[in-house]
Amino acid sequence: MALTRLQMSNEVLDNLGRAGAGTSVSGSTLSTLAARWINRAQTRFARKYDILFRISTATTITSQQSYALPTNLRALYSFRLEDGLSSIKLNLVMPWEFDDYYPKPNEHTTGRPSLYIPYKSTNTFELFRIPDTGYTMRIRHSIWPAELSSDGATTDYQAASIDTDDILIAYATYFAFKYLQEFTDAATWRKEGDELAEDVWMQEQKAFPDWMPVARGFNARNRVVLGEYYNDPLIMRDP
């Protein structure tokens, strides 16, 4: 059952044995602090477990180099560029490495991109080559959960059919007892939250029992596009 922020906050106050109208030294009510602790609990869980996956799409524009990454981006798993039967997975090159090879990319001819260069601080990425037409890109990534900004809000985990309400309540109760400097109770609730979080993580790992992983040998080479190495310094060998 999907609980709202208010319902989870009330359970935290019940665990704490305190009324929501009570105030802290700063003058904040415990109800206000409980809502903050719920959001902090969600962040704590999200930092450790990356399970909110998405596929976003974007379309290139002729001669445009820079584009926006998906909002709330946590981790980026793959970039695919659709071009019929010639569709490819773009290869990631870090900005400092890219600048070594292509200090002035707009001097090169436009064409079908094969590389993407991410910039986390600006939540953008660049393409190379700079596109010569419109291509559809599919981005496989994960997101940070959205803040629960109202009493009626439910988590992004619930929208993904992942039940984390008990985890958030346990972690928020841990933060509450820690705030009150009742460290024995805080440790108990932290342990409860850790165990519940581990259960959800293991459940997600076992969601596809038909998957049979195949071991692969180590490769010291960069994963780069094969092709005309004499025209591109990032291509190490011919196909």
Side-chain angles (χ1 to χ4, degrees):
M1 181 180 69
L3 298 181
T4 65
R5 188 188 74 175
L6 178 61
Q7 290 171 320
M8 289 189 283
S9 297
N10 286 340
E11 285 203 31
V12 171
L13 294 173
D14 288 342
N15 293 336
L16 203 60
R18 304 291 179 94
T23 58
S24 65
V25 174
S26 66
S28 297
T29 65
L30 288 181
S31 290
T32 299
L33 290 176
R36 185 184 304 166
W37 291 326
I38 289 292
N39 275 300
R40 191 176 298 168
Q42 182 174 242
T43 300
R44 178 185 178 88
F45 177 73
R47 284 174 177 167
K48 191 171 183 180
Y49 299 106
D50 186 15
I51 57 177
L52 283 177
F53 301 112
R54 298 285 188 274
I55 295 179
S56 298
T57 60
T59 303
T60 64
I61 299 173
T62 303
S63 299
Q64 180 173 314
Q65 183 180 7
S66 183
Y67 301 85
L69 285 167
T71 56
N72 281 348
L73 178 70
R74 187 189 191 281
L76 205 160
Y77 288 94
S78 68
F79 250 91
R80 289 171 289 158
L81 184 139
E82 294 186 351
D83 187 16
L85 294 177
S86 298
S87 299
I88 61 170
K89 177 183 179 295
L90 300 184
N91 286 275
L92 183 151
V93 179
M94 298 309 292
W96 50 89
E97 182 183 14
F98 181 75
D99 291 344
D100 281 343
Y101 292 110
Y102 301 105
K104 201 169 183 182
N106 58 341
E107 290 295 324
H108 294 261
T109 58
T110 59
R112 189 183 71 169
S114 60
L115 308 173
Y116 73 97
I117 305 95
Y119 297 90
K120 191 69 179 287
S121 59
T122 59
N123 205 51
T124 60
F125 66 94
E126 294 178 353
L127 294 173
F128 187 82
R129 295 182 180 264
I130 297 173
D132 58 349
T133 188
Y135 298 97
T136 297
M137 295 177 291
R138 300 197 181 276
I139 308 166
R140 192 182 302 276
H141 63 97
S142 60
I143 62 169
W144 293 102
E147 179 183 356
L148 303 177
S149 57
S150 66
D151 282 342
T154 57
T155 69
D156 286 337
Y157 294 105
Q158 290 292 352
S161 299
I162 304 171
D163 188 359
T164 59
D165 292 345
D166 53 349
I167 299 170
L168 303 191
I169 291 167
Y171 278 146
T173 304
Y174 151 64
F175 288 128
F177 276 117
K178 185 180 177 183
Y179 178 84
L180 295 174
Q181 298 187 23
E182 297 182 18
F183 298 116
T184 300
D185 286 330
T188 298
W189 283 100
R190 177 177 177 175
K191 183 174 183 292
E192 173 79 3
D194 287 343
E195 290 175 352
L196 292 170
E198 182 68 20
D199 287 344
V200 168
W201 173 249
M202 292 303 298
Q203 178 183 334
E204 289 300 302
Q205 297 305 297
K206 296 176 180 178
F208 302 98
D210 194 42
W211 177 58
M212 296 293 291
V214 178
R216 299 179 181 179
F218 292 102
N219 188 348
R221 291 176 173 171
N222 290 331
R223 293 193 301 171
V224 296
V225 178
L226 305 181
E228 298 176 343
Y229 63 89
Y230 41 83
N231 283 332
D232 192 331
L234 288 176
I235 292 177
M236 303 303 180
R237 58 193 174 95
D238 267 337

